[in-house]
Amino acid sequence: MNRGDFVHLHLHTHYSLLDGMIKPKELVNRAKEIGMPAVAVTDHGVLYGIYDFYVNAKSAGIKPIIGGEFYLVDEYTEKDKPFHIILLAKNDTGLRNLIELGTKAFLEGFYKKPRIRKKDLFKHREGLIVLSACKFGEPQVYLLSGQKDKAIQVIKEYKEVFGEDYYLEVQNHEPQTPTSATFKGAELEQFLESERLIFEEFLDIGNTLGVKCVLTNDAHYLNRDDWEVHDVLLAIQTKKKVTDKKRMRFPTKEYYFKDAEEMLKVSKGVKELLLNTLEIADKVEGTYQTFENKGYLFPEVQGVDNYEEELKRLAYEGFEQKLKQGKIPFEKKEEYRKRLEEELKIINDMKFPGYFLIVRDFIKWAKDNGIPVGPGRGSAAGSLVSYLIGITEIDPIPFNLLFERFLNPERVTMPDIDVDFCKENREKVIEYVKEKYGKDRVSMIITYGTFGPKMAVREVMRAFNRPPSEIDKYSTMIDKDVKTLDEVFQALPELENILTEVEKQVIRRIEGLIKQVGVHAAGVIIAPD
């Protein structure tokens, strides 16, 4: 068996915040290195990283399998602990259903975690491949609690809904070396026994019911040696010290990106379990049109049938008005008219008149309602059309501002109009936009906060139980704009001397990993659907 004769279908990137530590680019490069034809990403409850992963996989020539490890409930009650379930998108329809379920999980089912209901999963089943997940999957939980009949009933239910696209997932994270366990004694044996029971029972049940089994490794880090860094990351996540005995830990050091040869060793001689991962990869198209769309999607401009004519009307109306007000010199009116015609032609040829109408609308609403709006800045100030329809208040011609810096048919990019509203009333403008275009079509934009050197040093020192006074002393001395740990050590050689080699290794390794998510301070999306 070659190293690439297996495909990972259960894997967590650093978009599984403070739990996974695999970066998409590193992931696909590693897959390419060992000859793995495809790889899946299944982050916990979220789809944050799917586009990042998709672009990197396509670039590396690796087939991307987009998925997620979702939290499943029968109903949105607070009493039941959710099951885990792996969902993989076979095609673009599957991706859209995955996104639909992910949206419902946050907007309708959120309680501590984003949760989906089984009936919603069944409703949006088209294009999805389902794996029963880890020991927290629904049939596994029943099996481990002694309810084998219930487990079989659940498997039959999924088989009926998903047919050949439902697979039973088995795992084997048994220590491969004497030093590969982090749990000890009875605790380790209990964990291993649970995986063995699921493994044996699923092979038997699957054979009886005609449901194929598939072997996965619950990969949270890329290389075998990353386990220690990952263990510290878990301590940071749970706000514990590395030395705390009662904290979240993984039972063994086997949760890394294994190749086919390594997976064969833990397959208990059932090679078919690896071949079934290739079967699943073959079912996946690997190109998702939702991500391949290179066009722009604009919301509908309400009450306007012809966008080009409406923009032309508003622009010439503004031209005549400013001419009367003396804001356009009468002797230069032909120069202005020619520039206006040129700009309108470029805007229309590039299919952007609707963009100008939308921006003009919410700026006009703000001004009509006494909300201060900035006069305009950046390349948008080079547009005469923007000036004439009230988007900006800057006449570009006296200042020789070039329209081509703003919009250029040789380099087709979205117009970039920076708009400044006073911070006290900005939310009113956003509410207006939501009411006009629909709350389900207007969204803020997520941001990802990563570990920079300053935060990495602080969190790792805390995890290794450094005195708070020492942590505060050094973290406050690190400039927040410093980019690398080496720069920190150049400025603070004393800090380099007091940190252990393990601490330095962990700090270097977690730099750039995602620590938290937030809401962008300014960005708002208005979508057509």
Side-chain angles (χ1 to χ4, degrees), residues 350-416:
M350 294 179 72
K351 312 296 183 188
F352 288 134
Y355 179 91
F356 283 79
L357 295 175
I358 291 165
V359 175
R360 184 248 181 198
D361 175 68
F362 61 71
I363 288 178
K364 181 178 184 299
W365 182 88
K367 290 177 178 179
D368 289 347
N369 285 272
I371 298 172
V373 183
R377 58 183 169 87
S379 62
S383 168
L384 179 63
V385 169
S386 294
Y387 172 60
L388 295 177
I389 67 175
I391 288 176
T392 66
E393 296 175 16
I394 299 163
D395 183 347
I397 291 180
F399 302 103
N400 295 315
L401 299 179
L402 300 175
F403 178 72
E404 288 75 17
R405 280 192 63 233
F406 171 60
L407 209 56
N408 188 338
E410 298 297 319
R411 185 173 56 89
V412 180
T413 54
M414 277 279 289
D416 183 15

Side-chain angles (χ1 to χ4, degrees), residues 161-324:
V161 174
F162 292 96
E164 297 299 315
D165 289 330
Y166 179 63
Y167 293 80
L168 294 174
E169 188 173 346
V170 296
Q171 298 179 342
N172 181 5
H173 297 100
E174 191 155 346
Q176 295 302 293
T177 65
T179 59
S180 185
T182 53
F183 284 9
K184 304 297 179 185
E187 191 177 19
L188 175 62
E189 188 54 36
Q190 183 181 8
F191 164 74
L192 295 176
E193 187 54 41
S194 68
E195 284 201 334
R196 291 180 196 131
L197 176 66
I198 292 166
F199 202 114
E200 293 165 9
E201 291 285 3
F202 272 11
L203 287 181
D204 181 53
I205 294 170
N207 186 52
T208 302
L209 300 181
V211 179
K212 291 182 179 180
C213 292
V214 62
L215 181 66
T216 68
N217 202 64
D218 192 0
H220 281 68
Y221 42 94
L222 203 58
N223 305 301
R224 181 192 290 271
D225 293 340
D226 287 336
W227 77 267
E228 190 168 24
V229 178
H230 180 259
D231 191 51
V232 177
L233 194 67
L234 294 179
I236 292 172
Q237 179 207 141
T238 54
K239 295 182 168 49
K240 301 288 185 181
K241 305 293 186 289
V242 172
T243 53
D244 289 343
K245 291 184 178 180
K246 291 186 177 181
R247 69 170 176 88
M248 178 185 173
R249 299 194 77 178
F250 280 26
T252 70
K253 304 173 185 178
E254 301 292 331
Y255 291 79
Y256 66 96
F257 189 82
K258 296 182 176 181
D259 61 27
E261 292 174 355
E262 291 171 304
M263 292 302 291
L264 188 60
K265 290 178 182 177
V266 298
S267 69
K268 302 186 180 182
V270 189
K271 189 177 179 181
E272 182 185 359
L273 295 172
L274 279 70
L275 298 178
N276 286 342
T277 69
L278 300 176
E279 174 184 285
I280 290 173
D282 284 341
K283 288 183 177 182
V284 175
E285 291 183 3
T287 296
Y288 301 93
Q289 290 307 315
T290 294
F291 287 161
E292 293 296 328
N293 172 48
K294 298 299 189 291
Y296 298 112
L297 303 175
F298 291 111
E300 180 184 338
V301 183
Q302 296 170 2
V304 179
D305 294 325
N306 189 312
Y307 297 173
E308 293 183 9
E309 287 300 318
E310 178 65 7
L311 182 62
K312 180 180 179 180
R313 182 187 71 79
L314 290 171
Y316 274 96
E317 191 177 273
F319 175 77
E320 295 297 334
Q321 191 177 53
K322 292 189 185 300
L323 196 63
K324 288 179 183 176

Side-chain angles (χ1 to χ4, degrees), residues 471-483:
I471 297 171
D472 290 340
K473 173 186 173 182
Y474 288 108
S475 62
T476 53
M477 291 169 71
I478 299 172
D479 192 305
K480 63 180 175 61
D481 295 322
V482 170
K483 302 297 183 188

